[in-house]
Amino acid sequence: MTDLFSEIARLKREMNAVILAHYYQEPDIQDIADVIGDSLALAQAAAKTDASAIVFCGVHFMAETAKILNPDKLVLLPDLAAGCSLSDSCPAPEFEAFVKAHPGHAVITYINSSAAVKALSDVICTSSNAERIVRRIPADQPILFAPDQHLGRYVTKQTGREMVLWPGSCSVHVTFSERRLIRLKAEHPDALVLAHPECEERVLRLADHVGSTTSILTFATSNPATRFIVATEAGIIHQMKKACPDKEFIPAPPDSGCSCNECPYMRLNTLEKVYLCMRDRRPEITLPEELRVRCLAPLERMLEMSA
Ligand code: 13P
Ligand code: SF4
């Protein structure tokens, strides 16, 4: 039987590859990654790597971002079907019409979007820098924010800046139940609630800390509390437990008894598919050069603003 761990390590050396993984990947994948991070950290890692190949253990828009930044490198995604409900909630033709209907607006687009949508944008953001980027837009310029309405609403609350919002959302983060979270808090009055800003406002209102995956992880590890309720994709709990084995992390309950707090797209990637994509050098991310160049400018603007 193939030892996937040693085969992946061998292929990594042979290919001069770097393995980038998001916190929502299954634990085995997180454990073999060279870099684990949130969307911003992974984009920054992709921007500065000198590896010849990038194995992106995340979803399509993340690997596509890596390709936009690295046209000459081989960028692999273990499962090409690893999409994103939020990105899918914003089709480029409709978004183009929306942008045209709002002339003069600065278009800030969340990185969870297709290349075609990024190409229609002025600047890209992630959950960790959205607030900072919105604050950088001149006060007299109206803003159009897409595609996540919940992140947009949260940033408006933080900055006082009204924005036109595209009505998109993430199918995973909107499943957390306010009612069940209130009950869980009552059962564990000492627990702090950590939430990703893609959650609905009624869930964010119950949170002690709202932030990107990295921000949530940092808060959980540095805060003296010993029990946390985690309202984001459950994969992040692997890193929390590794960093703080004595603390307790309770996944926030979804609306039904399902395991819908696991992103079905992220979870398409498996250790075996990581091995196979490296062995076969596919599926590879490609995109037309003309489109890549149009996405690069708003993406580089984000990286400059986040440095
Ligand atoms: P982060 O930017 O916090 O990593 O979030 C990415 C994501 O897809 C959340 O669902
Ligand atoms: Fe997309 Fe939601 Fe999955 Fe994040 S958790 S990748 S926003 S579907």
Side-chain angles (χ1 to χ4, degrees):
M1 211 182 83
T2 311
D3 175 350
L4 295 175
F5 292 95
S6 61
E7 280 302 289
I8 289 171
R10 178 182 64 78
L11 286 165
K12 198 161 77 93
R13 277 192 307 276
E14 280 177 21
M15 296 168 74
N16 183 28
V18 65
I19 302 180
L20 308 182
H22 191 268
Y23 294 118
Y24 297 165
Q25 293 293 278
E26 62 174 42
D28 278 349
I29 296 182
Q30 293 189 36
D31 290 346
I32 52 124
D34 297 300
V35 181
I36 316 168
D38 66 2
S39 313
L40 178 63
L42 295 175
Q44 287 168 329
K48 69 167 198 246
T49 185
D50 54 11
S52 314
I54 298 173
V55 181
F56 212 114
C57 302
V59 290
H60 189 273
F61 75 81
M62 296 178 174
E64 192 169 61
T65 299
K67 185 66 183 179
I68 293 166
L69 295 165
N70 294 284
D72 300 328
K73 293 193 200 302
L74 174 69
V75 178
L76 300 169
L77 179 65
D79 191 321
L80 210 48
C84 168
S85 61
L86 180 52
S87 177
D88 290 348
S89 73
C90 188
E94 282 89 333
F95 186 60
E96 186 166 15
F98 191 67
V99 170
K100 282 201 178 122
H102 295 88
H105 285 59
V107 179
I108 305 182
T109 300
Y110 193 32
I111 200 163
N112 299 42
S113 53
S114 65
V117 166
K118 286 189 178 74
L120 296 162
S121 313
D122 293 308
V123 58
I124 306 304
C125 73
T126 75
S127 58
S128 55
N129 60 20
E131 196 182 316
R132 182 179 186 171
I133 287 176
V134 166
R135 289 187 195 279
R136 295 280 294 269
I137 305 297
D140 58 350
Q141 185 172 15
I143 300 175
L144 190 161
F145 189 92
D148 191 55
Q149 58 179 305
H150 303 297
L151 173 63
R153 222 164 268 134
Y154 175 71
V155 171
T156 289
K157 199 171 143 239
Q158 296 304 104
T159 60
R161 197 77 188 263
E162 287 302 327
M163 303 189 288
V164 176
L165 303 177
W166 177 268
S169 58
C170 156
S171 59
V172 178
H173 284 86
V174 297
T175 61
F176 296 114
S177 156
E178 178 194 19
R179 189 176 49 83
R180 296 184 70 196
L181 183 54
I182 291 171
R183 204 186 306 154
L184 195 59
K185 266 169 75 97
E187 283 166 24
H188 304 284
D190 60 322
L192 297 184
V193 177
L194 312 174
H196 195 279
E198 287 175 18
C199 294
E200 291 174 313
E201 194 175 1
R202 56 204 174 131
V203 167
L204 295 181
R205 234 184 279 129
L206 299 170
D208 297 287
H209 179 73
V210 176
S212 75
T213 45
T214 296
S215 166
I216 288 175
L217 177 61
T218 308
F219 185 91
T221 50
S222 59
N223 191 283
T226 55
R227 192 178 276 159
F228 299 88
I229 298 171
V230 183
T232 191
E233 215 271 7
I236 185 88
I237 293 178
H238 179 58
Q239 292 303 321
M240 291 175 169
K241 281 192 181 145
K242 271 176 97 168
C244 305
D246 298 332
K247 293 188 181 184
E248 188 186 350
F249 300 101
I250 308 167
D255 226 351
S256 62
C258 67
S259 58
C260 27
N261 60 347
E262 287 187 358
C263 172
Y265 307 99
M266 286 278 183
R267 303 294 175 137
L268 283 176
N269 294 330
T270 60
L271 198 62
E272 187 177 15
K273 287 183 197 169
V274 174
Y275 160 67
L276 291 174
C277 85
M278 294 174 80
R279 187 194 68 182
D280 302 339
R281 288 168 166 60
R282 69 185 167 85
E284 183 187 356
I285 302 291
T286 56
L287 76 166
E289 180 61 9
E290 170 272 333
L291 176 60
R292 187 193 72 81
V293 170
R294 286 197 289 131
C295 301
L296 187 61
L299 197 54
E300 284 188 332
R301 217 163 279 140
M302 173 190 84
L303 293 172
E304 276 158 33
M305 287 181 171
S306 317

